[in-house]
Amino acid sequence: MSNYQNIIVEIDGEAATITLNRPEKKNAMSPALHEEMTYALREVRDAKVKVLVLTGAGNAFIGGMDLEKCFFDPFDDPDKFREGTEWSFEWMRHLKAFPAVTIAKVNGWCFGGGMEVVGLCDIAIVAEESTWGLSEVNFGIFPGGGTTWTVAHNMAFRKQALYYSLTADTFDGKKAVELGWASKAVPLAELDAVTQKVVDGLLTKNRIVLEKTKEVYERALDLNFPDSVDYEIAKLWELSRLTKNEWIRVALNSFKKREYKPGLETYELPSEA
Ligand code: ACO
């Protein structure tokens, strides 16, 4: 399935971009969009890219779930209701476990389920002018379907997580960084260039190294220190085998010859990497 109606999928070498493309509806996520995202993530995963950027068309990143198409219209038909929301859980679970580095490029409005998407990405580069909010209480529910999980795992402190969940107060991109939702905030006019610079930097790294860095981080969150040490050592040997010991044979060999400074730059990937 690559004839998408609600999203634009671009794969350029080892980098991919998925643009949610319902600007007339502030990129609200309808059941059809959720279904397309499920297939698009599989397509991008199979292309074995290093980086995936998610962004929105127009002046919105994601205006949340499509409140009419996901909730209001199918509410009295339980099967239709479940089907529409299941697609969203499907692709969001996949996004959380995605092998490539995921970057949310937040260009504008970002509400509810949109914040969940950002919360599931590895990196978020956001426009200072973007507007964020957990608006659920404004229409009588709590942040559900995984959004509260991302609130709990992305906001630094209980007092802030609950404040924004209970009040639905909006905040901007700079505040999103302060609260732990975003990696960096830049003026909207610089968002594309700054994101591209981060993507270009990631493309200089070995894909397997990026994947294993994510895997180890995810597991380390749930392990105690001695278990994590064991796990990290075991994963290092897995990485070594999968990369044909590139860190010793290429990177540290190059450092030994004083060809580069690992603190300031990355080693040159062999051409087949
Ligand atoms: N679901 C369905 N339609 C939406 C959504 C949404 N989440 N967000 C925007 N739209 C629609 C609007 O209804 C409008 O449709 P229309 O042209 O048929 O009237 C169109 O997109 C344009 O939106 P406007 O409201 O005209 O744009 P404006 O710039 O004035 O406001 C804003 C933007 C603040 C984002 C407003 O649209 C809004 O409040 N949207 C809802 C945001 C929200 O609370 N999302 C749910 C989060 S919780 C969750 O995801 C479970």
Side-chain angles (χ1 to χ4, degrees), residues 24-26 28 63-67 71 109 111-113 135-136 139:
E24 74 289 353
K25 292 288 181 185
K26 307 298 172 195
M65 295 293 230
D66 188 314
L67 298 175
F71 303 137
W109 301 114
F111 285 101
S135 59
E136 285 86 344
F139 58 95

Side-chain angles (χ1 to χ4, degrees), residues 22-29 59-60 62-69 71 109-114 133-136 138-139 141-144 147:
R22 300 183 73 212
E24 74 289 353
K25 292 288 181 185
K26 307 298 172 195
N27 305 320
M29 298 181 288
N59 70 350
I62 302 176
M65 295 293 230
D66 188 314
L67 298 175
E68 289 170 0
K69 289 197 155 98
F71 303 137
W109 301 114
C110 181
F111 285 101
L134 293 162
S135 59
E136 285 86 344
N138 284 344
F139 58 95
I141 64 169
F142 56 82
T147 304

